[in-house]
Amino acid sequence: MIQKGNKGLSVVVLQAQLRSLGFKNKRIDGKFDAMTQSAVKDFQRSQGLIIDGIVGPNTNAIIRELTKDKHLFTFIHCSATPEGRDVSAKAVLRYHTINKGWSRPGYSDIIELNGSLHNIKPYNSDNLIQRWEYTFGVKGSTMMNRNARHPCYIGGIDKYGNPKDTRTVKQKLNLETYIKYEILRNPNVLILGHNQVQYKACPSFDVPEWMYSIGCSDHNYMHEKYQI
């Protein structure tokens, strides 16, 4: 049950779901405030549910069903490989699916050191993420994987294994292009660093700060961290 006064990742997901359905246009911050409650009531009214502003089992089930294929999030990752080590997209795919034995990779796209972009988990050109398209970018969070794209740049640590923003000039340019295209195609998508939802250094830079620096609206990113 999610209700007024709550905060955290469950509220982040709820706010993104409501926004994708046209019931909320406020910046996503993970705080169940009066505006979020009003959006929940509007949704309940539209579905003929009891209008109490509380996301109980019935309201939650309907919201999840209506948004199960929505592209709500894009998480930025790093490969956690040392600065300058040239790791190919094929090697990342092989590591996840053969070495680790996963049924699908953790990332959807890889940006190599030379800035080249490679898709390693095929998806179609619509603005949905169907079951066959999703990847395993956020461990232990099925909902955030199911509704997200997961681009990853090669690098992210120094030669001693410490977190470091190792993005080359070309990687930065291509990541910026990738993210701005995501927003152009899906104006309500929320861009997040992996470290905003889990206790990880990945992607080794401050995503909200970077989003601001490249001229993106805070409609598409949040400053808060709610790690699981």
Side-chain angles (χ1 to χ4, degrees):
M1 183 176 294
I2 313 172
Q3 57 191 326
K4 189 174 180 182
N6 291 162
K7 65 179 181 178
L9 281 182
S10 61
V11 181
V12 171
V13 173
L14 172 65
Q15 289 175 328
Q17 290 169 324
L18 289 168
R19 191 163 80 176
S20 75
L21 294 171
F23 291 95
K24 176 179 169 59
N25 199 40
K26 178 180 176 287
R27 187 178 77 84
I28 292 172
D29 58 9
K31 299 169 185 175
F32 199 124
D33 54 12
M35 191 173 291
T36 302
Q37 184 184 55
S38 178
V40 170
K41 288 181 177 179
D42 288 343
F43 173 79
Q44 291 172 327
R45 186 176 294 108
S46 75
Q47 298 295 314
L49 297 166
I50 295 173
I51 305 170
D52 58 6
I54 298 172
V55 183
N58 291 340
T59 298
N60 189 48
I62 294 173
I63 290 177
R64 287 176 68 104
E65 179 61 27
L66 291 175
T67 61
K68 65 181 181 181
D69 291 331
K70 295 279 190 179
H71 178 193
L72 303 178
F73 311 105
T74 291
F75 288 97
I76 299 176
H77 300 264
C78 67
S79 62
T81 50
E83 182 174 14
R85 180 182 293 177
D86 193 8
V87 178
S88 69
K90 287 183 179 179
V92 174
L93 177 62
R94 184 170 60 249
Y95 177 71
H96 284 180
T97 59
I98 296 178
N99 294 36
K100 288 196 168 188
W102 295 352
S103 61
R104 59 188 76 201
Y107 313 126
S108 52
D109 300 282
I110 299 292
I111 301 176
E112 295 182 350
L113 290 186
N114 63 5
S116 59
L117 176 67
H118 300 268
N119 172 247
I120 63 171
K121 177 59 178 176
Y123 50 83
N124 56 29
S125 59
D126 63 27
N127 198 27
L128 301 172
I129 300 178
Q130 285 132 345
R131 184 167 293 277
W132 61 271
E133 296 176 287
Y134 80 88
T135 49
F136 294 149
V138 179
K139 185 177 180 181
S141 181
T142 302
M143 197 65 181
M144 287 192 146
N145 286 325
R146 183 69 176 82
N147 294 99
R149 297 258 186 262
H150 296 273
C152 169
Y153 76 92
I154 295 299
I157 59 175
D158 64 19
K159 63 180 181 180
Y160 303 107
N162 300 309
K164 180 182 179 181
D165 182 2
T166 65
R167 289 175 297 163
T168 64
V169 171
K170 290 183 178 180
Q171 282 180 313
K172 288 181 179 179
L173 287 173
N174 233 352
L175 182 60
E176 178 178 344
T177 300
Y178 182 103
I179 293 302
K180 287 185 174 179
Y181 178 70
E182 292 271 276
I183 294 171
L184 181 65
R185 189 175 68 173
N186 181 5
N188 283 323
V189 70
L190 187 70
I191 312 298
L192 298 157
H194 189 187
N195 56 5
Q196 289 183 264
V197 298
Q198 291 193 315
Y199 290 102
K200 293 178 175 289
C202 174
S204 299
F205 67 94
D206 188 307
V207 169
E209 184 178 275
W210 175 71
M211 290 284 289
Y212 175 81
S213 74
I214 62 173
C216 294
S217 166
D218 65 4
H219 181 82
N220 296 109
Y221 64 90
M222 68 178 199
H223 292 278
E224 293 77 10
K225 291 185 177 182
Y226 296 107
Q227 292 102 332
I228 54 175

